[in-house]
Amino acid sequence: MSSQLKGVSFRYLSVLCVLIGLVAATFQFDAVLSLSQQWQAISQASVDLTLLDDFDKIIFVESQLPRLIMALLVGGMLGLVGSLMQQLTQNALVSPMTLGTASGAWLALVIMNVWFAEYVADYASMAALVGASLTFGLVVAIAGIRNLSGLPIVLSGMAVNIFLGAVATAIILLNEQYAKNLFIWGAGDLAQNGWDQIVWLLPKLSAAVLIFIFAPRVLALLRLGNVGAAARGLNVIPAFFGLFTVGLWLVASSITVVGVISFIGLLAPNIARHLGARTPRDELFFSLLLGATLLVGTDLLAVVLSHYTTDMIPSGTAAAFIGAPALIWFTRRNMNSQDQLSISLPKGKSYLPTGLITSLIVGLVVVAVLAVVITKDSTQTLHPWVMMIPSEFSWELKWPRLLTSLSAGAGLAVAGVLLQRLIYNPLASPDILGISAGATLSLIGGSVFLGFNIFEAAPLVAFCGSLAVLVLLLVLGKRHQYAPSMLILTGIALTALIDALVQFSLAKGNEDSYSLLNWLAGSTYRVSPQSAFVLFFCVVLLVAFALLTHRWLTLISAGRLFAQARGLNVTKSFIALLICVALLCGAVTATMGPIAFIGLLAPHMAVLFGAKKAFEQIVVAALIGAWLMVIADWLGQHILFPSQVAAGTLVSVIGGIYFIGLLIKGQRSTH
């Protein structure tokens, strides 16, 4: 026992020494002042700021020092809360990021800054807490209280993340004057201009004392299981939600000041356990120390990169660079090929009704015609809705948008069907796996750093981005035979990394950031006739390939061993179908930007209608996806007329609400 205590103490001292070294490196990197001059500046400022007679000393005291203190405070709190959440749920992959609570807090703050700016100073942290709490409640409602220790809670958190991101994008697009500041905030920025934010934050972080007082005993009892803890006098549910609320308050307060910084709350507790933290108290203290160390280190990395690249790189982006590979490593360490994805969905009809496909085709034609002939007349106030045959000029504007909507909806729906059947996961989609995000990154990165016009970029650029992510998924997943848990969590890490880079690209941009933001929302507004034709041609060919290879999909969906026993080359078929997915995502994203939830929603609606076979599901999902996108594009053009809401944003919000409701209903049906 004494040797274990010595080992833990040695690790504590080692991490503390690393932290001290990082602090010293932060002070001395590209420093104008020596250590003695810095200490002299601190001594003078502690007496009276007016004693600072040197501009360099003022910068050190008013900018560098508070930035370091902020990194220590926020990093420590994120590490502490991450440990608390993981111990409460007994889930090593839970954190404010993976639960979606950080996104909920950020969305609440966006709403406050846009519509209730006068209350931000007094109620920002409370709004962030409400946003984080509501998000956590929604995620628990989706996954179920019994699945807190499994993968479903993480996957539900990512689904909610996509939905909240779509809502935030819609708000920012309608209030463009806030866009740049909000994206800098979303990227996680520790830069300080004085001590005001630290003075504001410190009293709110004092709630962490409650965790150290009450949590160790509660967490120790919870390790015995809920029944064992209750038998020893613990009121499990109030204790669980009480501590969780304190943790959410600490996260919400931190996000209010510095924005979203991912991965720290996920990595610190896992590293603490890896270094030997065994008791709940040890893990909490060790995670706090490690969180501070990690954020100071990533902030130093951001400062170094900013110095050599001449671009101000937010600390949240640097944290994502370190955290994404680390999440992949912990995924490979903590999950195995037998891990089950137990999220349930409504079963739907047992067979496909006769004439359903014909009805969907007729319905799609009717919807397309109505979208062309029904419009709003800005000159009419009492009866603005009119039905008219479009003029030649109007038709030239409308048909590329219509063809693009049809093609994008069908293409992403088929991509969703392929992914869900290939990796046996009802929540798989191009959004969750990061395949669409790969296409987004290649186009945004090329636009911001290389200067090409994103609206004229060839689909090949987006395909290369999608394919790069796909290859990485295949390489990392091969060791575990592409187990669902491994593939999904790797995709989550990649998506988080790519999102951070996109936030950075937008935050550093100039006036072009607004056009990039419109493209990110998934708009058909700027699609040219040539681009619409290219997309239509690509989608038709790729959907035809999926239909011709439906037997492969059927056999793989029944199980890899079953497919191999029937003579199918599983590996080659698997890779060919995934390349088809990458091509579909690349073509759609290059033409109109990233679209969320179509790849999730359309396949499930097809199943609800009774399309159980692979061929049937592909056809029905493609028709439903096209129908949804046409409706979303038409609504987006008229719902806030004469302003427009991008079709991708609207379909993400509507589809997200429907899909989350579908998940909740499916979860309840299993109990």
Side-chain angles (χ1 to χ4, degrees):
M1 185 68 177
S2 59
S3 61
Q4 289 182 351
L5 289 174
K6 288 180 181 178
V8 173
S9 300
F10 174 75
R11 294 184 182 98
Y12 268 113
L13 290 174
S14 299
V15 174
L16 187 59
C17 289
V18 171
L19 178 58
I20 293 171
L22 289 171
V23 170
T26 300
F27 281 157
Q28 288 305 297
F29 174 75
D30 200 31
V32 178
L33 302 176
S34 65
L35 280 175
S36 60
Q37 290 174 317
Q38 290 172 349
W39 179 252
Q40 182 185 28
I42 294 173
S43 301
Q44 291 173 341
S46 63
V47 177
D48 189 350
L49 284 173
T50 59
L51 295 176
L52 296 174
D53 54 357
D54 188 294
F55 179 74
D56 292 326
K57 289 183 179 180
I58 295 174
I59 291 295
F60 173 74
V61 171
E62 292 291 302
S63 180
Q64 289 180 275
L65 190 58
R67 178 171 181 147
L68 174 64
I69 300 300
M70 185 64 76
L72 289 168
L73 289 174
V74 173
M77 288 304 102
L78 291 176
L80 175 65
V81 174
S83 175
L84 178 68
M85 288 182 171
Q86 290 183 16
Q87 292 192 71
L88 283 172
T89 60
Q90 299 296 303
N91 189 340
L93 294 172
V94 161
S95 74
M97 177 194 73
T98 53
L99 284 181
T101 52
S103 297
W106 184 69
L107 175 59
L109 291 170
V110 168
I111 293 172
M112 283 282 290
N113 276 267
V114 171
W115 287 309
F116 305 101
E118 65 272 21
Y119 299 110
V120 168
D122 297 323
Y123 301 106
S125 56
M126 187 59 66
L129 174 62
V130 171
S133 301
L134 291 176
T135 303
F136 176 65
L138 179 59
V139 171
V140 171
I142 294 172
I145 194 70
R146 298 180 182 178
N147 287 321
L148 292 179
S149 59
L151 187 59
I153 192 74
V154 179
L155 297 175
S156 300
M158 289 307 297
V160 171
N161 259 330
I162 295 174
F163 168 66
L164 296 181
V167 175
T169 299
I171 293 172
I172 293 172
L173 279 172
L174 296 172
N175 300 272
E176 289 185 350
Q177 66 271 27
Y178 300 98
K180 186 172 182 179
N181 289 336
L182 288 173
F183 274 113
I184 292 174
W185 191 11
D189 187 20
L190 290 173
Q192 300 294 305
N193 294 310
W195 292 85
D196 292 343
Q197 289 184 318
I198 292 176
V199 172
W200 181 90
L201 182 61
L202 268 175
K204 294 169 177 59
L205 297 187
S206 62
V209 175
L210 298 175
I211 294 178
F212 290 111
I213 293 174
F214 298 107
R217 178 179 178 273
V218 172
L219 296 174
L221 291 175
L222 286 176
R223 291 187 178 188
L224 303 174
N226 290 343
V227 176
R232 285 161 177 77
L234 178 66
N235 200 337
V236 175
I237 294 179
F240 179 94
F241 284 103
L243 288 174
F244 222 101
T245 300
V246 175
L248 291 178
W249 168 257
L250 296 174
V251 170
S253 300
S254 301
I255 289 175
T256 301
V257 174
V258 301
V260 179
I261 296 179
S262 304
F263 293 112
I264 300 296
L266 177 67
L267 296 182
N270 280 282
I271 296 174
R273 288 189 292 271
H274 184 71
L275 293 178
R278 293 292 178 262
T279 67
R281 186 183 297 275
D282 277 345
E283 185 178 325
L284 290 172
F285 275 106
F286 214 169
S287 297
L288 183 145
L289 181 61
L290 282 165
T293 304
L294 287 170
L295 190 52
V296 170
T298 53
D299 189 48
L300 176 61
L301 175 63
V303 172
V304 172
L305 291 175
S306 299
H307 176 76
Y308 288 108
T309 62
T310 69
D311 288 320
M312 292 304 297
I313 298 177
S315 303
T317 304
F321 269 112
I322 296 173
L327 175 58
I328 293 172
W329 186 83
F330 283 120
T331 295
R332 295 163 70 85
R333 182 173 178 267
N334 288 295
M335 311 300 290
N336 54 61
S337 58
Q338 286 74 40
D339 193 61
Q340 297 296 314
L341 304 176
S342 58
I343 287 182
S344 301
L345 293 166
K347 302 301 181 182
K349 296 182 179 180
S350 57
Y351 63 91
L352 186 68
T354 305
L356 176 65
I357 293 178
T358 303
S359 300
L360 287 173
I361 293 173
V362 172
L364 181 60
V365 172
V366 171
V367 167
V369 171
L370 292 177
V372 171
V373 300
I374 297 180
T375 187
K376 269 189 174 182
D377 187 350
S378 57
T379 63
Q380 302 292 327
T381 55
L382 293 177
H383 304 287
W385 294 100
V386 295
M387 181 179 290
M388 57 171 28
I389 302 298
S391 64
E392 183 178 351
F393 175 75
S394 179
W395 173 247
E396 288 297 320
L397 295 176
K398 286 187 175 183
W399 76 257
R401 300 186 69 166
L402 178 63
L403 188 61
T404 300
S405 301
L406 286 166
S407 305
L412 291 177
V414 172
V417 172
L418 297 180
L419 282 174
Q420 289 175 18
R421 284 181 170 267
L422 286 173
I423 65 175
Y424 317 108
N425 177 22
L427 281 182
S429 79
D431 320 295
I432 295 293
L433 291 186
I435 297 173
S436 291
T440 301
L441 177 64
S442 64
L443 290 166
I444 288 283
S447 175
V448 172
F449 299 109
L450 302 180
F452 67 68
N453 190 326
I454 199 169
F455 301 104
E456 297 175 358
L460 180 62
V461 177
F463 168 67
C464 289
S466 293
L467 188 62
V469 172
L470 185 58
V471 168
L472 187 56
L473 286 170
L474 294 175
V475 170
L476 294 172
K478 185 176 181 180
R479 177 182 173 186
H480 294 272
Q481 290 77 47
Y482 309 107
S485 57
M486 304 300 302
L487 213 54
I488 289 293
L489 285 168
T490 302
I492 288 173
L494 294 173
T495 301
L497 172 60
I498 291 169
D499 283 346
L501 293 175
V502 169
Q503 295 274 4
F504 163 64
S505 300
L506 290 167
K508 74 177 285 294
N510 45 31
E511 300 302 321
D512 293 335
S513 292
Y514 299 119
S515 61
L516 292 178
L517 185 58
N518 276 282
W519 177 83
L520 279 170
S523 175
T524 61
Y525 178 69
R526 296 186 182 224
V527 177
S528 66
Q530 182 181 0
S531 298
F533 267 127
V534 170
L535 176 62
F536 178 74
F537 181 72
C538 290
V539 169
V540 167
L541 286 181
L542 292 169
V543 172
F545 173 79
L547 290 172
L548 289 173
T549 57
H550 73 276
R551 180 178 174 273
W552 299 357
L553 198 60
T554 300
L555 291 174
I556 292 175
S557 350
R560 290 184 175 85
L561 293 178
F562 176 83
Q564 193 170 4
R566 295 299 184 277
L568 181 69
N569 189 324
V570 175
T571 301
K572 290 183 178 179
S573 303
F574 185 83
I575 292 175
L577 289 170
L578 283 181
I579 289 175
C580 179
V581 171
L583 286 167
L584 285 168
C585 294
V588 172
T589 306
T591 306
M592 65 174 295
I595 308 294
F597 281 119
I598 289 290
L600 280 168
L601 189 57
H604 290 297
M605 292 184 71
V607 171
L608 288 177
F609 282 132
K612 305 292 186 182
K613 298 178 181 178
F615 188 93
E616 294 174 345
Q617 191 182 13
I618 290 172
V619 173
V620 174
L623 292 171
I624 292 173
W627 187 88
L628 288 171
M629 278 303 299
V630 170
I631 290 291
D633 189 48
W634 181 82
L635 284 175
Q637 294 178 50
H638 298 95
I639 193 170
L640 293 177
F641 186 82
S643 299
Q644 295 193 24
V645 179
T649 298
L650 195 60
V651 81
S652 295
V653 173
I654 296 173
I657 293 171
Y658 178 86
F659 188 76
I660 288 171
L662 193 68
L663 291 175
I664 295 173
K665 182 179 178 182
Q667 188 63 37
R668 288 178 178 175
S669 67
T670 61
H671 298 301

